[in-house]
Amino acid sequence: MTATTRRRRSKRTAVGEAHRLLPGPLLMAVTVVLCAMVLVPTSYILLASLNTDIGVAEGEFWPSTFSLESYRRIWTTANLATGLVNSLIVCAFTAAASALLGTVTAYVLVRYTFTGRLTILRGLVGLQSIPGTLMLLPVFVLFSSAGNYLGIAMVGSRWGLFIAYLTFALPFSTWVMVTYLRGLPRELEEAARADGASTLVILFRIIFPLSLPAVVVSGIFAFLLGWNDVLFASVLTRPQTQTAAVALSTFGATQEGGALPVYSQVMAAALVTAAPVVVLYLIFQRYLVGGLTAGGVK
């Protein structure tokens, strides 16, 4: 049975299960409601960004005049360019490091047996239950202490924020890769070892290519963790190293209570900030769907 046939059967089975759980009309109604919950706010943000600030303040849903002026102004009023560059640098390195280290760690946990292996696996699950808010003060104190005693400036730097994000992204990436690698056959590795391949050769020439969907999933989730974060980025950065989320939050807060809130510019800044994530999803959509559904069909 080919992979295409298995995917088609899986799709038909999923559709059949959905119709068995909900009647056809009710399923259609639920689908319409869920789509409306996403499309209506998104449509309003898009239309508001193409409107004028006065038009949005007056409550216009459909702009009386369409204009791209807000998209031009946000680069000087919101300091968005610096935030986008910082976010792309920090999140890209976090995604790459998390995917690489997560794959290597998962390979060791899945293919080797040693004392403490189960404890580490259980710890990976337990770390996911700790709210990040509780870790903000300890992380800040730790980074500040490193700056005072070691002479290393971590607070206010990009790489300090990178370490903080990697700390939270790595357990999830490792667990995703553990789940995926358990389904890979050992015969491929045994055949490579019989041909004289070392562990590193097997890891980078066999495991990584076969695990590409899961690697992409772990990398994208690590990227989103840093891209959407405001709490840690607000505390661990300075104006020169602030991320796009902090720049957008600061810009929106400074406009509240003004004589004329620049709502149109806020909407335009929000769309520009969300654009890289949408582009990232469109590029890796095939791998993302494959990685999320891997292991669900045997």
Side-chain angles (χ1 to χ4, degrees):
M1 182 184 298
T2 63
T4 304
T5 305
R6 287 197 298 267
R7 285 196 296 267
R8 289 177 179 175
R9 286 192 176 183
S10 174
K11 184 176 180 180
R12 287 196 298 267
T13 303
V15 173
E17 291 291 337
H19 282 288
R20 189 165 57 183
L21 290 173
L22 293 174
L26 182 58
L27 181 61
M28 180 64 68
V30 171
T31 303
V32 170
V33 171
L34 293 177
C35 291
M37 292 174 62
V38 176
L39 294 178
V40 172
T42 304
S43 300
Y44 176 76
I45 294 174
L46 177 60
L47 292 174
S49 68
L50 298 175
N51 202 347
T52 61
D53 294 324
I54 297 178
V56 178
E58 291 177 349
E60 293 182 357
F61 180 81
W62 189 265
S64 55
T65 56
F66 289 87
S67 174
L68 296 176
E69 184 67 18
S70 296
Y71 288 93
R72 185 186 64 81
R73 291 182 177 180
I74 57 175
W75 303 107
T76 55
T77 58
N79 193 25
L80 202 59
T82 302
L84 286 173
V85 171
N86 291 329
S87 289
L88 287 173
I89 293 175
V90 174
C91 295
F93 276 98
T94 302
S98 179
L100 176 62
L101 295 177
T103 304
V104 174
T105 305
Y107 180 77
V108 174
L109 292 173
V110 171
R111 292 295 189 255
Y112 296 93
T113 302
F114 53 89
T115 304
R117 172 176 169 273
L118 292 179
T119 303
I120 296 175
L121 290 173
R122 292 166 183 166
L124 292 175
V125 179
L127 288 174
Q128 303 302 313
S129 63
I130 301 177
T133 308
L134 297 180
M135 301 300 296
L136 179 62
L137 182 58
V139 168
F140 178 78
V141 172
L142 180 63
F143 283 14
S144 299
S145 301
N148 295 332
Y149 295 106
L150 302 178
I152 302 174
M154 297 186 67
V155 177
S157 63
R158 292 194 191 104
W159 72 278
L161 191 62
F162 159 73
I163 293 176
Y165 289 157
L166 184 62
T167 303
F168 293 101
L170 190 55
F172 178 81
S173 298
T174 303
W175 188 254
V176 169
M177 295 309 303
V178 165
T179 305
Y180 192 89
L181 292 181
R182 282 174 174 171
L184 292 182
R186 295 176 179 264
E187 289 77 8
L188 296 175
E189 302 171 41
E190 294 173 356
R193 291 189 189 277
D195 292 336
S198 63
T199 301
L200 289 179
V201 172
I202 293 173
L203 184 61
F204 288 100
R205 292 192 177 182
I206 296 178
I207 300 301
F208 264 100
L210 292 177
S211 307
L212 188 58
V215 172
V216 171
V217 169
S218 62
I220 288 180
F221 272 88
F223 185 93
L224 292 178
L225 183 145
W227 191 269
N228 295 328
D229 173 71
V230 178
L231 188 62
F232 282 85
S234 300
V235 176
L236 300 178
T237 60
R238 60 179 187 270
Q240 292 78 12
T241 58
Q242 69 179 8
T243 60
V246 177
L248 181 60
S249 176
T250 303
F251 178 59
T254 55
Q255 304 307 318
E256 294 181 359
L260 179 61
V262 288
Y263 291 135
S264 178
Q265 296 183 45
V266 173
M267 300 298 180
L271 287 179
V272 171
T273 304
V277 178
V278 176
V279 173
L280 185 69
Y281 175 79
L282 293 177
I283 294 175
F284 295 103
Q285 180 181 8
R286 179 167 60 93
Y287 298 104
L288 183 63
V289 174
L292 290 174
T293 57
V297 181
K298 298 295 184 182

